[in-house]
Amino acid sequence: MLYLLNNWNYRAMDIITTLSDNRLHKNVVDAIVDDILVGNTDIDMLWNLTDSDDPRLAWHAVWVLEALCKKDRKQLAPYQRRVVEKVLASNKETGELRLWLNISLMLLSETKDIDVDLLNFSLDNICNMRMAVAMRAVCIKIAYQMCKREPELLKELQAVLSMLDMKSEQAAIKSVVKKVALCLNKCSH
C-alpha cells in the first residue's frame, strides 16, 4: 500500500522536489517515513540526498532520517558508522549536526561497541560554549550511554562534567547533568 498525502506519490523525483521545498511540514516527513517503512521509498536514495549541494535539501533529508530512526532504529543501524562520519564532518554551526547527533544517540542501542570517534567528539564538545546547548546536551547523553558500557570511562566523563560551570549553564545542560550525576552516583555505589 502506498501512503499518499495530498495525492503525492513520494518517488525519487517527488521526494527531491518535496524536500527542496522551503517549508517542509511534519506530516510530509511522516508520510515519507511511512513510505520507507512499507518499502515504497529507497532509504539509500534518501541517504544520498544528505550530501546534496542544496543545504535545504540535505537538511530535510536528515530530518526524514531522524524521524525514521524514531520509528524504527533498525532501518538506520547499517548506516551507524556513516552517521558518526556525518557528525564528525558536520559544521558545528548548523542544526543538521543536532539531527545527526540525535540519530547517533538513538542508534547507540543497536550496538554494544563503543565508537571511539563519537565518544571523543562528545566528550570534547560537552564544554564547548560555541556549540548550541541542545547539541551539548545530546553530547552528554551520548557520552554517558557509551561510558557506562566501560566503567573505567565513567571517571573521564565525571572529570569532563566537573569542568562545567553549573551556575552559568542553561537549564537543558543543568537537567541532563543532574540526571547523569544521579546515575553516576548509583554506579559508584
Side-chain angles (χ1 to χ4, degrees):
M1 180 171 126
L2 192 62
Y3 287 83
L4 298 173
L5 181 65
N6 297 332
N7 296 322
W8 278 96
N9 176 337
Y10 292 108
R11 296 286 181 218
M13 288 311 296
D14 291 334
I15 290 176
I16 292 170
T17 302
T18 301
L19 294 180
S20 297
D21 194 11
N22 282 335
R23 293 186 170 175
L24 184 64
H25 297 280
K26 186 177 180 330
N27 59 341
V28 175
V29 170
D30 290 339
I32 296 171
V33 167
D34 289 343
D35 261 7
I36 292 168
L37 291 173
V38 297
N40 291 329
T41 298
D42 181 27
I43 193 170
D44 287 327
M45 185 270 309
L46 187 64
W47 180 269
N48 290 335
L49 293 177
T50 67
D51 291 324
S52 173
D53 291 334
D54 177 352
R56 180 181 303 114
L57 178 60
W59 165 284
H60 287 166
V62 179
W63 182 17
V64 172
L65 290 173
E66 182 198 35
L68 174 64
C69 197
K70 286 177 182 175
K71 284 192 175 184
D72 185 4
R73 293 179 183 144
K74 292 189 185 325
Q75 293 280 332
L76 285 177
Y79 296 85
Q80 190 163 14
R81 180 62 200 166
R82 290 167 67 187
V83 169
V84 171
E85 290 168 2
K86 293 283 191 177
V87 167
L88 299 175
S90 282
N91 176 350
K92 291 179 180 65
E93 303 302 319
T94 68
E96 195 175 309
L97 175 58
R98 179 183 53 81
L99 296 172
W100 287 122
L101 285 168
N102 288 340
I103 294 168
S104 295
L105 178 61
M106 288 184 274
L107 289 177
L108 286 177
S109 64
E110 298 300 314
T111 183
K112 290 182 171 54
D113 297 332
I114 294 177
D115 188 306
V116 175
D117 294 329
L118 181 60
L119 177 59
N120 287 339
F121 178 90
S122 298
L123 291 170
D124 290 346
N125 284 291
I126 287 171
C127 296
N128 182 350
M129 300 305 283
R130 291 180 306 234
M131 186 175 272
V133 171
M135 290 188 280
R136 290 176 55 223
V138 175
C139 284
I140 294 169
K141 293 174 185 178
I142 290 171
Y144 173 68
Q145 291 298 320
M146 295 180 102
C147 288
K148 74 180 186 180
R149 296 173 184 179
E150 292 290 332
E152 62 270 8
L153 292 174
L154 290 173
K155 288 184 171 112
E156 186 173 349
L157 177 59
Q158 283 178 312
V160 171
L161 293 177
S162 71
M163 291 188 277
L164 294 171
D165 178 10
M166 295 307 290
K167 292 177 186 166
S168 64
E169 287 293 351
Q170 293 192 13
I173 298 295
K174 288 178 182 179
S175 174
V176 73
V177 168
K178 182 179 178 181
K179 289 176 185 173
V180 167
L182 287 171
C183 293
L184 290 173
N185 286 335
K186 288 180 185 176
C187 291
S188 65
H189 289 87

